[in-house]
């Protein structure tokens, strides 16, 4: 058994970030592309209301991803720290226990979702015109989401145990299959929104199978062992304490989307929800690029933190911050310069195009600050600082955007402007305030980088 992670404390930081971040970025880009493809094919092949119905499902998907990240992100960060301490038996226990917990969470989500589908969709903003599309999509996708939580966990562990390229190949394979099946099921078989759902579910099954196979193979550095399948309370606690940050971030994102959908319907109707669905899809594409870089950073930061290599810890933080801020800037410029072209890629409806084009600038203008905030959240998660990570990740949306999306619309209406603009503007203001708080929290934790090795 060859330790695939020793290079994390010896190779140059720039080379390591490239080695680990590139596969993560490629995986995130491909995943984002098939999310884009779902919406583009649905928008072009089914219609504007189908886009709005799909947007309603986004909070539910965020909740499911939240449970996946609770175990997946937490176990990946914890196993990196443990490997930095050269404790391979503990690493095997993290692998086995995290897989058990992921399957349990996935089964609970599946049963709960099927039992309460209609009230959940109505709570997240579904109307009589959009709920049929949302239900048709979710009834097919929901079983496959159990497999997604397994993939999320195991792909992160594959990357953290020294196989970043294999994690990329697995995730990319599922995404490419989704992109191929989408037009076949939607246009050739004429299955409508159900076709997109089946394409997604089948691709989820493929990635889950390939992820499990990796940890069964004798050639894998860390793999499934009999001793690791016994559930341990302390391992669950260790994993979830770190995973709480991305978990709460996704849960809150679901709540924020639901709140925004309600406010958008109030001030702009179903078309505003559809416009938000497209804008948010573009925003998630940029976010996934940034998140991919941070995923590449996490094994390096966690390993060197566990090994006590704090100079290297500071170096990886600085380099990741620069890259992510620049990615945010590129996303901001593209969205501000070409909003109409982005909207037209998803829909031919003139009302939807006009509404989304004017709103997109508000949504993307502060993307560089989102890059800075995300880096800080993911970094503190990597080095076992869950409280700081949680505050950083939740502040932008929960502390700032939710109140602002209620405060700004009536304020603007009293000033003679459209209340819908206030909903869009809440994103701009919350991005600025969230970055300021992230900077303050980073300064309060500056001692992390300068403890003597």
């Amino acid at each position: 058994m060859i330790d695939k992670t020793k290079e994390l404390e010896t190779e140059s930081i720039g080379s390591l970030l490239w080695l680990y971040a590139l596969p993560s970025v490629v995986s995130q880009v491909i995943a984002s592309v098939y999310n884009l493809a779902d919406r583009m094919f649905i928008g072009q092949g089914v219609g504007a209301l189908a886009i709005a119905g799909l947007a309603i499902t986004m909070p539910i998907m965020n909740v499911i991803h939240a449970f996946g990240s609770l175990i997946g992100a937490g176990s990946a960060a914890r196993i990196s720290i443990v490997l930095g301490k050269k404790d391979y038996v503990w690493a095997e226990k993290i692998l086995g226990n995290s897989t058990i917990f992921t399957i349990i969470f996935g089964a609970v989500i599946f049963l709960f979702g099927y039992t309460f589908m209609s009230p959940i969709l109505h709570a997240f903003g579904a109307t009589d015109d959009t709920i049929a599309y949302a239900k048709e999509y979710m009834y097919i996708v929901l079983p496959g989401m159990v497999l997604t939580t397994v993939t999320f966990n195991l792909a992160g562990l594959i990357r953290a145990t020294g196989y970043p390229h294999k994690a990329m190949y697995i995730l990319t394979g599922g995404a490419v299959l989704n992109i191929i099946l989408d037009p076949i099921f939607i246009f050739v078989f004429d299955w409508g929104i159900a076709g997109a759902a089946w394409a997604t579910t089948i691709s989820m099954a493929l990635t889950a199978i390939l992820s499990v196979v990796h940890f069964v193979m004798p050639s894998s550095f860390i793999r499934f062992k009999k001793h690791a399948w016994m559930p341990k309370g302390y391992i669950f606690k260790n994993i979830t304490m770190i995973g709480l940050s991305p978990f709460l971030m996704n849960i809150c994102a679901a709540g924020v989307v639901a709140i925004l959908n309600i406010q958008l319907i109030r001030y702009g109707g179903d078309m505003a929800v559809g416009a938000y669905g497209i804008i948010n899809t573009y925003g998630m594409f940029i976010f996934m690029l940034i998140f991919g870089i941070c995923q590449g950073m996490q094994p390096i930061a966690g390993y060197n933190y566990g090994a006590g290599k704090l100079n290297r810890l500071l170096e990886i933080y600085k380099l990741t911050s620069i890259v992510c801020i620049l990615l945010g800037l590129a996303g901001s410029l593209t969205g501000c310069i070409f909003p109409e072209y982005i909207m037209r890629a998803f829909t031919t409806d003139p009302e939807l195009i006009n509404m989304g084009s004017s709103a997109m600038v508000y949504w993307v203008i502060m993307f560089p600050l989102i890059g800075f905030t995300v880096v800080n959240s993911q970094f503190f998660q990597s080095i076992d600082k869950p409280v700081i990570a949680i505050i950083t990740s939740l502040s932008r949306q929960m502390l700032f955007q939710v109140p602002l999306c209620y405060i700004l619309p009536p304020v603007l209406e009293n000033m003679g402007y459209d209340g819908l603009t206030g909903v869009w503007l809440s994103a701009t203001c919350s991005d600025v305030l969230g970055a300021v708080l992230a900077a303050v929290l980073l300064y309060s934790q500056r001692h992390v980088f300068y403890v003597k090795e």
Side-chain angles (χ1 to χ4, degrees), residues 239-276:
I239 290 173
T240 53
M241 282 301 295
I242 297 180
L244 270 177
S245 173
F247 170 76
L248 292 174
M249 182 174 65
N250 279 289
I251 289 291
C252 291
V256 170
V257 170
I259 291 169
L260 287 173
N261 282 340
I262 292 170
Q263 286 294 87
L264 289 168
I265 290 172
R266 178 181 179 184
Y267 290 100
D270 285 330
M271 285 295 104
V273 175
Y276 169 59

Side-chain angles (χ1 to χ4, degrees), residues 416-427:
Y417 296 99
D418 184 6
L420 182 60
T421 302
V423 182
W424 303 126
L425 189 59
S426 67

Side-chain angles (χ1 to χ4, degrees), residues 148-162:
T148 299
T149 59
V150 174
T151 302
F152 191 99
N153 175 45
L154 295 183
L157 292 175
I158 291 171
R159 186 182 305 110
T161 54

